Amino acid sequence: MSTPADRSKEKVIRRGPGKTLITLRVNGQEHRIFVEPRRTLLDAIRKDLGFTGTKRGCDEGTCGACTVLVDGKAVYSCMALAIEVEGKVIETIEGLEKAGTLHPIQQAFIQEDALQCGFCTPGQIMSVKALLDAHPNPQPTEMKEALAGNLCRCGAYPKILQAALRASKQGGT
Ligand code: FES
Ligand code: FES
């Protein structure tokens, strides 16, 4: 049974169910926003912060279109709550280009023509980035595993894999 002291501690920790102020670190910048605790990271990124490069496909943790990096790991942002990634390092596709120059992985996707409609592409690129940041010289099988959670309805898989391999050869992280 909880004591009055425990209950007063809970009051400090509990947030919601109404909107609460959180700080998200996205692409090197801090953003303070009010969100309900149930708000997904995907909605916070797209609707509250306007980073619409992160796509909503299935919204149920299946397609990978919403992939972003959280502390370097590829995460389905539709399956994470914004409030639970407060204080972590979040990277979206918008953070890759620097001073007008595309990231080497983005360039590799263009060079290999690794897309058709492009809807899955931001998620694919973020998954490749997570892998190359951790393992700069992966084997093709490791590439396939890293991309296994990213579906492409256009079926551009062979070229996506080629782009990932090109990026790793070019030291693209
Ligand atoms: S939109 Fe998140 S996995 Fe499909
Ligand atoms: S390029 Fe169209 S879904 Fe992948």
Side-chain angles (χ1 to χ4, degrees):
M1 195 171 145
S2 62
T3 65
D6 290 337
R7 284 195 292 276
S8 87
K9 215 188 279 174
E10 281 174 21
K11 270 185 200 160
V12 174
I13 296 167
R14 263 191 210 149
R15 296 160 87 181
K19 288 189 175 180
T20 184
L21 181 64
I22 65 168
T23 303
L24 293 182
R25 280 178 68 192
V26 183
N27 301 331
Q29 287 203 320
E30 295 204 338
H31 302 266
R32 287 157 70 81
I33 52 174
F34 282 94
V35 295
E36 291 182 2
R38 63 179 176 167
R39 193 141 182 91
T40 64
L41 177 58
L42 176 60
D43 279 339
I45 287 171
R46 285 182 58 86
K47 294 182 179 174
D48 299 325
L49 302 180
F51 292 118
T52 53
T54 302
K55 302 303 181 197
R56 182 194 311 279
C58 63
D59 212 18
E60 59 179 28
T62 303
C63 72
C66 65
T67 303
V68 299
L69 304 195
V70 176
D71 283 348
K73 293 207 168 73
V75 165
Y76 288 166
S77 60
C78 70
M79 291 286 103
L81 295 175
I83 199 168
E84 71 185 344
V85 296
E86 194 176 15
K88 299 190 175 178
V89 175
I90 301 161
E91 296 172 69
T92 73
I93 191 75
E94 287 89 348
L96 267 58
E97 167 261 321
K98 300 280 182 246
T101 302
L102 291 178
H103 188 280
I105 301 173
Q106 293 173 305
Q107 292 181 22
F109 268 66
I110 293 170
Q111 288 158 343
E112 294 294 342
D113 194 21
L115 55 130
Q116 288 187 42
C117 76
F119 197 80
C120 71
T121 310
Q124 305 273 9
I125 289 174
M126 296 313 288
S127 289
V128 173
K129 184 168 192 301
L131 175 66
L132 295 187
D133 284 352
H135 306 287
N137 296 302
Q139 296 298 311
T141 49
E142 293 173 298
M143 288 281 189
K144 287 181 185 172
E145 275 173 29
L147 288 166
N150 293 83
L151 303 184
C152 175
R153 289 178 179 86
C154 301
Y157 296 114
K159 291 191 170 186
I160 290 168
L161 187 60
Q162 279 173 30
L165 291 169
R166 178 190 275 259
S168 74
K169 282 187 198 133
Q170 292 174 345
T173 59

